[in-house]
Amino acid sequence: MNAITRIASVKERVSAAEWEARVKLAAAYRLAARLRWTDHIYTHFSVRVPGPDRHFLINPYGLAFDEITASSLVKVDIDGTLLDDPTGLGINRAGYVIHSAIHGAREHTHAVLHTHTTAGIGVSAQQGGLLMISQHAMRFHKRLAYHEYEGIALDLDEQQRLIADLGGHDALILRNHGLLTSGRTIEEAFYNLYYLERACAAQLAAQSGGAALRFPSEAVAEKAARAFEDAIAQGRHHSHWDAYLRQLERDDPGFAR
């Protein structure tokens, strides 16, 4: 079966649940492209395939985010074996090392999103990390982890340290590298990434003016963080995702094929 045939037949040979996961992940890639969260072909979003196996879906190495479709995604197991590679492009090992670490260690985490944006890298290189100077940043008040840079993530032994640093959080700044968020669903991970990316961009903008920065009190920052958690508990992240998805379906519906 050649690559064109394999791509065309993906929907026919996977479960309905896997196809739904594929469509949502492809949508996340296309939305990231629209939001300029990409580093061309070099970062990765992944989602766990529904079912008992620790299989996950990730982008083929070589397609830009705005080229990703539900059928082009690669299915890989936790040990790195390619189970379904419709395009034949394979995957980026660095993406596998980071994403398999989290999918393998955290039962509740189904989606992992990682970016190399200018804002994210900029904040990751600052000694103080993310500053609680915006409402967007306060989403992560005492809810954000940091992982020191160890070089390009090609070594499996880094996985233990990454997981230890992440702890119980769903947001991570990889020092001198970029941002990572996770969630129980694509919708939740995307909501987290949206706020983290906006917080980093706002921080760089505030710092660029050169004026002294204002910091709300710890109590106020914690109040804001809890309000965001309440919003997630009430499903607000689904409304956020659905609104973005409607825009995507109007302007760029090709992701779902």
Side-chain angles (χ1 to χ4, degrees):
M1 184 184 297
N2 62 36
I4 293 175
T5 303
R6 287 181 63 81
I7 292 171
S9 67
V10 169
K11 186 175 182 179
E12 300 171 0
R13 54 189 169 78
V14 302
S15 68
E18 178 177 330
W19 182 252
E20 181 181 1
R22 284 176 171 272
V23 170
K24 285 186 177 181
L25 183 57
Y29 276 108
R30 296 292 183 103
L31 288 171
R34 291 167 65 90
L35 291 164
R36 298 186 177 181
W37 290 351
T38 77
D39 188 11
H40 203 229
I41 65 172
Y42 296 109
T43 55
H44 315 281
F45 293 179
S46 65
V47 68
R48 184 171 169 180
V49 176
D53 300 315
R54 291 296 183 96
H55 301 162
F56 63 94
L57 301 167
I58 197 166
N59 50 325
Y61 192 22
L63 294 188
F65 278 25
D66 63 358
E67 296 179 301
I68 300 293
T69 65
S71 296
S72 67
L73 293 162
V74 180
K75 181 160 59 175
V76 60
D77 70 15
I78 211 68
D79 297 318
T81 302
L82 302 187
L83 304 174
D84 194 356
D85 181 13
T87 66
L89 292 172
I91 62 174
N92 185 345
R93 178 171 174 80
Y96 162 74
V97 169
I98 292 171
H99 289 254
S100 66
I102 299 171
H103 285 295
R106 297 172 56 143
E107 180 65 33
H108 72 281
T109 295
H110 282 240
V112 180
L113 313 182
H114 172 41
T115 58
H116 294 168
T117 59
T118 300
I121 295 170
V123 171
S124 80
Q126 293 187 1
Q127 186 64 37
L130 186 68
L131 305 178
M132 296 297 111
I133 58 172
S134 69
Q135 180 169 276
H136 286 72
M138 284 179 265
R139 158 74 185 93
F140 304 101
H141 180 248
K142 296 185 178 179
R143 292 157 177 82
L144 177 65
Y146 291 85
H147 176 65
E148 291 298 328
Y149 187 64
E150 299 186 23
I152 297 174
L154 301 176
D155 300 323
L156 291 176
D157 65 357
E158 185 178 351
Q159 291 182 320
Q160 295 179 340
R161 293 182 292 279
L162 188 151
I163 292 301
D165 289 338
L166 181 60
H169 297 300
D170 284 325
L172 176 71
I173 290 182
L174 297 117
R175 290 291 194 179
N176 311 100
H177 184 171
L179 308 179
L180 183 147
T181 63
S182 63
R184 290 161 290 188
T185 61
I186 282 278
E187 294 92 331
E188 185 177 350
F190 191 87
Y191 180 87
N192 290 336
L193 185 59
Y194 174 86
Y195 275 93
L196 190 54
E197 286 285 358
R198 290 295 299 272
C200 289
Q203 179 169 321
L204 296 186
Q207 291 170 323
S208 70
L213 302 176
R214 293 186 62 85
F215 289 80
S217 69
E218 287 280 319
V220 167
E222 180 61 22
K223 180 181 178 181
R226 289 180 180 175
F228 279 110
E229 289 180 337
D230 289 344
I232 290 175
Q234 295 164 12
R236 300 295 186 198
H237 55 294
H238 289 285
S239 298
H240 177 91
W241 171 264
D242 289 345
Y244 261 129
L245 194 61
R246 288 193 300 273
Q247 291 179 307
L248 191 62
E249 288 172 338
R250 287 196 301 269
D251 302 334
D252 188 16
F255 70 93
R257 65 177 188 270

